[in-house]
Amino acid sequence: MNQDVLSKIVENNKGLISQGAVATYIPELAKVSKDYLGAVIAFPDGTMLSAGDTKVRFAIESISKTVVLALALLDNGEEEVFKHVHKEPSGDAFNSIKKLETEPDHLPRNPFINAGAIMTASLIKGKDPVDKFNRILEFMKKISEDDSLELATDIYLSEKATGDTNRGLAYYMKGQGVLSGNVEEILDVYFKQCSIYVTTESLAKIARFFANGGVLSNGERVIPKKYAQIVSGLIATCGMYDQSGEYLDNIGIPGKSGVGGGIISPVSSKKIGVAVFGPALDAEGNSVAGMGIMKDISKEMELDMF
């Protein structure tokens, strides 16, 4: 792969933008241009290939769930975390309450659906919600090797104002006795973690971090390899919600999306991280042109796991 090939891949997928639409259920996200499109490949030696709109800042949204899971594992250990959330694909929409009601233990099926991410956020250590969020932000800065990451206050307030479905999930778990702590404080951390401004470049470095077994480009180990493998494995099976199986079959590498338009793919076999940004989403909430780029990169670099 070289710069010209990546640029051509991005250009060739611009036609898919018309098949998607920006997220509108969070008002601030509706203001983003659907025409942005970019891709970055981050290599283990610290070098990167970039093409398109890779320096545009946008909300990380659900991709933050991978970072918070890693921090929750550091804070609590694997056994404790998975007492509170399972590791299975849900087969339902990302904000569905159905399995919380129908499964006898009332626990979320995985950490990447909203109920599971709220549960994971509740496990982050800290003296108060501000401290907990600051720990998440600093951890994200570290593993993305990007100190410019910051809270997008307007998006956070928009998330908070429209987050009633998430409140429903959290209060249901609280009512069933499986979620501990103050619900509004937990949700405040969750809404903020989803509202961190990132770029495609910072996402590619997060993906590389997990692909490289929890090690930064300078060789520093931040989390145990086992935790990075857990995160990457769940990205593969649960990262694209109820499109996860189709994504893995068609593209052949793990993918975690966010409704801000980002997708990350940690490719452990090559220790590289791939990230795309395209705010035009399909019905499942995944970037239409972004998935096209991922498919072409996977084919060009022969990344398919199978």
Side-chain angles (χ1 to χ4, degrees), residues 10-299:
V10 172
E11 189 64 32
N12 288 347
N13 281 282
K14 285 185 176 178
L16 294 175
I17 291 172
S18 62
Q19 299 180 19
V22 297
T24 56
Y25 65 93
I26 300 169
E28 284 298 317
L29 296 185
K31 299 177 182 179
V32 178
S33 169
K34 70 181 290 186
D35 294 323
Y36 286 130
L37 193 62
V40 178
I41 303 170
F43 297 95
D45 63 357
T47 61
M48 293 191 294
L49 284 179
S50 301
D53 302 307
T54 60
K55 295 186 185 297
V56 174
R57 284 150 54 87
F58 59 95
I60 190 171
E61 296 296 340
S62 286
I63 297 172
S64 67
K65 298 169 182 177
T66 65
V67 177
V68 176
L69 174 59
L71 184 57
L73 287 166
L74 267 185
D75 280 355
N76 302 275
E78 178 184 359
E79 183 178 353
E80 181 63 24
V81 167
F82 293 108
K83 286 178 182 176
H84 301 276
V85 59
H86 293 292
K87 299 179 181 178
E88 301 299 329
S90 72
D92 296 320
F94 64 90
N95 58 358
S96 174
I97 198 172
K98 183 163 58 176
K99 284 198 169 65
L100 288 180
E101 295 183 293
T102 57
E103 294 291 338
D105 61 10
H106 304 295
L107 294 178
R109 293 300 94 190
N110 66 72
F112 295 158
I113 54 174
N114 286 14
I118 292 165
M119 180 67 79
T120 308
S122 77
L123 301 176
I124 299 302
K125 305 291 188 188
K127 64 179 184 292
D128 55 37
V130 172
D131 186 36
K132 292 176 183 181
F133 170 71
N134 285 337
R135 290 191 65 237
I136 291 170
L137 180 58
E138 290 306 310
F139 184 70
M140 193 180 295
K141 286 179 180 180
K142 187 174 185 68
I143 69 172
S144 68
E145 303 180 32
D146 186 350
D147 287 334
S148 74
L149 302 189
E150 63 181 358
L151 175 67
T153 303
D154 52 349
I155 295 175
Y156 155 63
L157 294 174
S158 190
E159 295 250 8
K160 191 171 184 176
T162 58
D164 290 335
T165 300
N166 288 320
R167 288 187 180 88
L169 296 171
Y171 276 107
Y172 183 82
M173 291 189 290
K174 178 76 171 182
Q176 294 297 327
V178 298
L179 181 69
S180 300
N182 181 289
V183 170
E184 292 301 328
E185 291 184 353
I186 294 167
L187 286 169
D188 203 57
V189 174
Y190 175 69
F191 292 141
K192 283 181 177 177
Q193 77 177 54
C194 292
S195 303
I196 295 172
Y197 262 150
V198 293
T199 66
T200 321
E201 292 184 353
S202 44
L203 288 187
K205 288 183 282 187
I206 290 174
R208 178 182 62 198
F209 170 78
F210 289 123
N212 202 24
V215 176
L216 301 177
S217 64
N218 65 5
E220 179 187 351
R221 174 166 296 284
V222 179
I223 63 174
K225 184 177 181 180
K226 173 65 171 174
Y227 293 172
Q229 290 172 328
I230 290 170
V231 175
S232 294
L234 284 166
I235 289 173
T237 56
C238 308
M240 306 296 284
Y241 306 118
D242 44 346
Q243 203 175 9
S244 297
E246 183 180 351
Y247 182 90
L248 195 58
D249 180 47
N250 287 341
I251 299 174
I253 51 179
K256 179 72 197 87
S257 63
V259 294
I263 304 174
I264 65 169
S265 281
V267 185
S268 300
S269 61
K270 307 280 189 182
K271 297 185 177 180
I272 64 172
V274 185
V276 295
F277 168 51
L281 312 178
D282 64 12
E284 283 80 16
N286 300 320
S287 174
V288 179
M291 288 190 291
I293 292 172
M294 283 292 193
K295 185 171 185 177
D296 288 348
I297 290 174
S298 179
K299 183 178 180 180

Side-chain angles (χ1 to χ4, degrees), residues 1-12 51 296 300:
M1 176 70 75
N2 60 41
Q3 186 66 58
D4 290 343
V5 173
L6 184 60
S7 296
K8 186 175 180 180
I9 286 173
V10 172
E11 189 64 32
N12 288 347
D296 288 348
E300 177 69 27

